[in-house]
Amino acid sequence: YAELNNLIIKYGMQDKITIEKSIPYEKIQNYYKSAKIFALAYNTEVESLPMPVMEAMATGLPVIIPYPKEGFSEGLEETAIFTENNEKSFAENIQKLLKNEELREKYSNQSLSKAKEFDSEKIENREAEIYLELIKGVQKWF
């Protein structure tokens, strides 16, 4: 947090960038609604699709995320803008969306459409299936 704040001050971006350490759950939608795009850098070797990406999509934000690990795209090829996980690539893709309203609208519509597939009941059922498969696999060892 301190390092990022120092960079914001160094580059004179205090009037353009605010970092919130924590946002109460009931206020999250207000942040999504006030944004034009959503970009999130994360380690795709460690994490699949983070919950904030799905939340942003559900509010109709175009999303920019790192290229997923092979086979873990969650079917987002036509929905998200995949980018290299570095500052230059993120900046280029953010600028591309900010400068092109039609492109933003296209990805916004695709986000909304794809978000409908992330039904919590479907996700919970799939998680239950995975746990059952894991349990059965462990039982074979004993």
Side-chain angles (χ1 to χ4, degrees), residues 8-107:
I8 291 167
I9 292 166
K10 177 181 176 182
Y11 292 105
M13 303 295 288
Q14 303 91 317
D15 62 335
K16 297 184 182 222
I17 300 173
T18 303
I19 298 175
E20 299 287 343
K21 284 186 177 181
S22 178
I23 300 168
Y25 183 75
E26 63 275 1
K27 294 184 179 181
I28 290 173
Q29 72 277 7
N30 297 333
Y31 285 86
Y32 289 125
K33 288 177 185 176
S34 70
K36 289 185 178 182
I37 60 168
F38 179 85
L40 181 65
Y42 59 95
N43 185 344
T44 58
E45 292 296 317
V46 177
E47 190 169 12
S48 183
L49 188 65
M51 184 61 73
V53 175
M54 290 184 267
E55 292 170 344
M57 289 170 57
T59 61
L61 286 173
V63 297
I64 301 171
I65 55 176
Y67 285 105
K69 211 171 132 175
E70 190 173 328
F72 290 90
S73 70
E74 307 291 338
L76 296 177
E77 291 81 4
E78 300 297 320
T79 305
I81 293 180
F82 291 127
T83 185
E84 297 297 326
N85 205 355
N86 62 57
E87 298 89 356
K88 183 179 183 219
S89 186
F90 265 95
E92 288 170 356
N93 282 297
I94 289 169
Q95 285 299 318
K96 181 169 65 173
L97 276 178
L98 289 176
K99 290 178 180 178
N100 188 330
E101 190 172 337
E102 285 181 28
L103 191 62
R104 268 197 327 269
E105 189 172 320
K106 171 188 169 190
Y107 279 98

Side-chain angles (χ1 to χ4, degrees), residues 129-140:
E129 290 172 4
I130 291 168
Y131 285 123
L132 287 172
E133 290 171 18
L134 290 171
I135 290 169
K136 288 176 185 174
V138 169
Q139 289 174 344
K140 291 178 184 178

